[in-house]
Amino acid sequence: LRLARVMRLLRLLRKSRALRELQKLVIMMSTCMKALIWSFIFCFVIMTVWAMLMVEMVHPIIQDLYKDNPGIFGDCEQCLRATQSVMDANLLLFKTVIAGDSWGLIAVPVIEKHPATAIIFVGSLLTLVFGVLNLIVAVVVDTFADARDRDILNLAEEMEQDMEADKRFLERIFNRIDVEKSGHLSLEQLADGARKDAEFQSRLR
C-alpha cells in the first residue's frame, strides 16, 4: 500500500508543471546515484593514501611534540591519537579538510616544528578540496547532462511546456498591441508594435 502511494506521488510529480524544478532534482538524484557512490569511493581511496602517509610520518612527530610540550595541543585529547591508525587519520582528514573543522590545530604546530610535513597537510588539502571534490561535482553534472540528452520523453514534454509558455507570452504581447481590441492584428499593427513595444523587440532579437 505504501509503495502504491509512493508510485502515485511520483506520477503526480511527473505531471505537475508547478513542481518542475523538484522533478528535475529527483531525476538528477536517481540518475547520478551510481556516479555519486563511485565518487565517494574514489574520495575515500585518496584520503586513505594521505592517511597512510600521516601514520608513517606525522604520528611520530606528534608524539615527540607532546613529550617536549604537553600543552601544545591545548585540551585536545583526540589530537594525540588522530594519526595513530589509518582510520583515525581518515577521520582527521574528513574533519579538517572536508568539513573544515580546526585544520590548523594539529597542522600548524607540526609544520612549524617540521616544515617538510607541509607537503602532507597542504597536499591533502589541495588534492581533496580543489581536486577530488570539484571532480565529483563535474562528474555528477556531466552524468545528469548525458542522461537528460538521452531522455527523449522528458525533452519532448519540456519542449511542449516551453511552447505553451511562448504562446502565452506572445498572446499577452499581441493583446497589448491590439489597441482596438478587435482580436486581429494587421501587418501594420505588428510593425508598429515591433517599433514601440520594448518587450516585443527583445523577443524578435
Side-chain angles (χ1 to χ4, degrees):
L1 183 60
R2 292 180 179 178
L3 183 60
R5 290 177 180 175
V6 172
M7 296 301 295
R8 192 181 309 162
L9 180 61
L10 290 177
R11 283 197 298 268
L12 177 63
L13 178 63
R14 188 179 185 86
K15 294 179 180 179
S16 176
R17 296 177 184 175
L19 302 176
R20 187 175 178 181
E21 289 77 13
L22 179 59
Q23 178 185 351
K24 286 185 177 181
L25 287 174
V26 173
I27 294 175
M28 184 176 181
M29 189 66 184
S30 59
T31 303
C32 302
M33 188 61 66
K34 183 178 179 181
L36 282 173
I37 292 173
W38 282 112
S39 298
F40 294 152
I41 293 174
F42 178 69
C43 182
F44 179 74
V45 170
I46 300 298
M47 284 176 56
T48 301
V49 172
W50 287 111
M52 289 188 292
L53 290 175
M54 283 188 166
V55 172
E56 294 295 328
M57 301 179 63
V58 177
H59 183 64
I61 296 175
I62 291 177
Q63 299 301 315
D64 293 339
L65 288 175
Y66 181 74
K67 289 178 181 178
D68 297 339
N69 183 8
I72 192 169
F73 299 118
D75 298 331
C76 180
E77 297 181 359
Q78 196 268 340
C79 294
L80 297 177
R81 61 179 187 275
T83 56
Q84 68 180 1
S85 68
V86 174
M87 289 309 298
D88 287 329
N90 263 321
L91 178 61
L92 174 66
L93 285 173
F94 182 84
K95 182 181 75 170
T96 57
V97 177
I98 306 297
D101 180 21
S102 302
W103 180 83
L105 184 61
I106 295 178
V108 171
V110 174
I111 292 174
E112 287 178 346
K113 187 68 175 181
H114 296 273
T117 56
I119 298 175
I120 297 177
F121 288 104
V122 178
S124 61
L125 177 67
L126 293 178
T127 51
L128 291 172
V129 174
F130 298 104
V132 176
L133 295 184
N134 286 327
L135 182 62
I136 290 174
V137 174
V139 169
V140 169
V141 172
D142 188 61
T143 302
F144 177 70
D146 290 341
R148 184 176 181 273
D149 291 338
R150 292 192 301 266
D151 194 351
I152 301 176
L153 180 60
N154 278 333
L155 285 176
E157 290 180 356
E158 289 183 6
M159 289 179 64
E160 184 179 351
Q161 292 173 2
D162 291 339
M163 288 178 62
E164 292 181 1
D166 288 341
K167 288 179 181 178
R168 290 193 297 269
F169 178 78
L170 291 174
E171 183 180 0
R172 188 176 70 251
I173 293 178
F174 292 158
N175 289 333
R176 191 165 61 238
I177 294 175
D178 186 13
V179 181
E180 300 175 356
K181 304 301 179 182
S182 62
H184 301 281
L185 288 176
S186 63
L187 182 59
E188 291 77 10
Q189 287 176 314
L190 281 175
D192 185 62
R195 286 192 298 268
K196 296 180 180 179
D197 195 292
E199 194 173 14
F200 193 23
Q201 291 176 357
S202 65
R203 186 64 179 178
L204 293 174
R205 290 172 184 170

